[in-house]
Amino acid sequence: MRERDGTLPGHLDERTAVLMLHGRSVPVLAGFDLDFKSYSWADALAKAGYDVFMMDLQGSGLSPRPKMDDPRNVNPAQQNLLKPRPPGFTPGPPNYPFQLTNSNSDRDELNTVVEWIIRERGVKKVAFIGWSAAAFTMGPYAVKNPGKVSSLFLLAPIFPPEGTSKAPDPLPQPGFPTFLSTKDGTWNGWTNEVHCEGQREQAMRDKVWDAIMKSDPVGSTWGPEGEGRNRIRNFVRWGWNKTTAAQGGVLGGSVPVLIAYGEHDRQANTSSEDPEFNFSVPALYNAIAGDHKLMVKLDCAGHSVVWEMQHQNVHNLSKHWLKQLKVDGKTQGIFDMNTNGDISPAP
């Protein structure tokens, strides 16, 4: 966990704590605290007076990665990416034939951090900001623990409205602990969502990958020299769907919710016959039962908006949200944001 404490001296009793959580494949520091130009979202919030915490779940970033240092525990279908081979590595079945973590362990880790922040910083609640698959952890946690969560800002949330509510049996689930991604694969996947002139800077190809590798001291030594491989934890999830989002009227009730996503995002909005992988951001807005809910669609933005032209507008949106819990003076509604940061009701 990293902290950027923007609370001014003499205002400790007014401290507002914000906890930021990463998605599936990008460590929290590369996503929220990129040391390049104005891209650090955490720095922007700290400069606005917030006490910002960023956490990596087990298996991500600088947190412990049990079983993941063994290259044999990489997805067998991806072991061909380990060229040249790490010392002593021979391709084959995983030595630990299970997925690494699950919804219960992720939410337990989140709870440990939340309770630490509340205790150590003397706050009553923590404001959540989550990107992408962070919704699987932060959404259900907020529903079950509204007394600890002041608000929820989900950027490009992954939400399967018909996803399963039940934990699989047995746990841990069979499989493997580690997926891999490459620099080219990451960049090219992002390219599929670039449809506007100036949507991203070419320099981000190296800046983002270097930051990911800085958070992965082992993966950075795998694959081609000087490039590395991004190790991505394999986790099994459940309990985040339209039933959970509506449960008790908590979301949009005692926990106000703001959802933002890019108009070109094809990771958070999919069309799959498998309900576990049929994702929809608007379906999340519709599923939230409370009235205090807002959704903003960002023009000229994809799933990786934190590294695109709209990033500063997202920073400003979050600062306004944390202070006012409103968008355009309203506590409910659907809006569009253009590249100048202007907000208007969706047609």
Side-chain angles (χ1 to χ4, degrees):
M1 182 169 62
R2 175 177 290 181
E3 178 185 10
R4 283 186 175 270
D5 188 352
T7 305
L8 295 174
H11 294 268
L12 299 184
D13 58 339
E14 303 168 19
R15 184 189 300 272
T16 299
V18 180
L19 178 58
M20 309 182 85
L21 184 64
H22 59 89
R24 172 181 175 269
S25 61
V26 177
V28 73
L29 298 183
F32 292 133
D33 202 15
L34 187 68
D35 186 17
F36 181 61
K37 295 185 177 179
S38 60
Y39 287 96
S40 173
W41 191 351
D43 185 57
L45 291 177
K47 288 178 178 176
Y50 297 101
D51 191 0
V52 185
F53 298 85
M54 296 160 276
M55 69 171 288
D56 274 312
L57 292 166
Q58 182 178 208
S60 180
L62 296 174
S63 286
R65 300 193 191 214
K67 309 299 184 182
M68 293 178 70
D69 290 353
D70 182 353
R72 275 286 290 270
N73 287 332
V74 167
N75 178 3
Q78 294 185 312
Q79 291 182 11
N80 63 306
L81 297 177
L82 295 172
K83 295 179 180 177
R85 293 181 181 178
F89 167 63
T90 302
N95 290 322
Y96 180 77
F98 302 99
Q99 297 188 45
L100 184 67
T101 61
N102 61 61
S103 290
N104 283 343
S105 63
D106 286 352
R107 292 168 201 164
D108 285 347
E109 290 176 23
L110 178 63
N111 184 63
T112 297
V113 172
V114 168
E115 291 194 339
W116 184 90
I117 293 171
I118 289 173
R119 181 177 66 253
E120 295 295 325
R121 292 296 176 263
V123 295
K124 295 181 179 179
K125 297 184 178 183
V126 178
F128 279 1
I129 294 179
W131 178 24
S132 188
F136 283 115
T137 306
M138 285 186 152
Y141 181 87
V143 169
K144 295 292 186 181
N145 300 275
K148 301 177 185 178
V149 182
S150 59
S151 64
L152 182 60
F153 181 2
L154 296 176
L155 178 66
I158 304 298
F159 179 72
E162 303 296 335
T164 183
S165 294
K166 296 181 179 179
D169 185 25
L171 287 174
Q173 276 283 285
F176 48 84
T178 314
F179 289 102
L180 294 179
S181 68
T182 66
K183 183 176 183 179
D184 284 343
T186 300
W187 180 256
N188 293 338
W190 186 9
T191 299
N192 294 330
E193 296 181 347
V194 174
H195 299 283
C196 299
E197 183 178 355
Q199 185 173 332
R200 66 176 183 186
E201 296 185 64
Q202 181 64 29
M204 300 305 284
R205 182 178 187 274
D206 291 333
K207 293 295 183 181
V208 170
W209 188 257
D210 289 349
I212 292 173
M213 290 296 95
K214 190 175 180 180
S215 287
D216 193 346
V218 173
S220 60
T221 67
W222 289 357
E225 185 176 356
E227 180 177 321
R229 297 288 184 249
N230 181 20
R231 296 182 299 160
I232 302 168
R233 69 192 184 104
N234 190 9
F235 64 98
V236 59
R237 37 81 174 177
W238 64 87
W240 179 230
N241 49 42
K242 63 183 183 181
T243 301
T244 310
Q247 188 174 338
V250 172
L251 298 186
S254 58
V255 180
V257 180
L258 171 59
I259 302 164
Y261 72 103
E263 66 167 324
H264 302 305
D265 190 334
R266 296 298 175 265
Q267 297 183 54
N269 293 292
T270 63
S271 179
S272 173
E273 294 182 358
D274 184 344
E276 297 301 329
F277 296 95
N278 188 37
F279 306 140
S280 171
V281 177
L284 173 56
Y285 179 83
N286 292 333
I288 293 171
D291 293 331
H292 198 156
K293 60 177 182 178
L294 298 130
M295 183 168 67
V296 179
K297 183 170 69 175
L298 310 166
D299 290 353
C300 289
H303 195 67
S304 300
V305 62
V306 294
W307 304 314
E308 297 179 348
M309 70 157 78
Q310 281 273 41
H311 72 278
Q312 285 184 292
N313 290 331
V314 171
H315 298 176
N316 292 334
L317 178 65
S318 67
K319 287 185 284 188
H320 182 79
W321 167 252
L322 290 169
K323 185 176 182 179
Q324 303 289 340
L325 294 178
K326 296 179 181 180
V327 170
D328 197 31
K330 299 178 177 62
T331 58
Q332 185 178 31
I334 301 174
F335 302 86
D336 291 331
M337 175 184 282
N338 66 23
T339 55
N340 293 322
D342 301 321
I343 293 174
S344 58

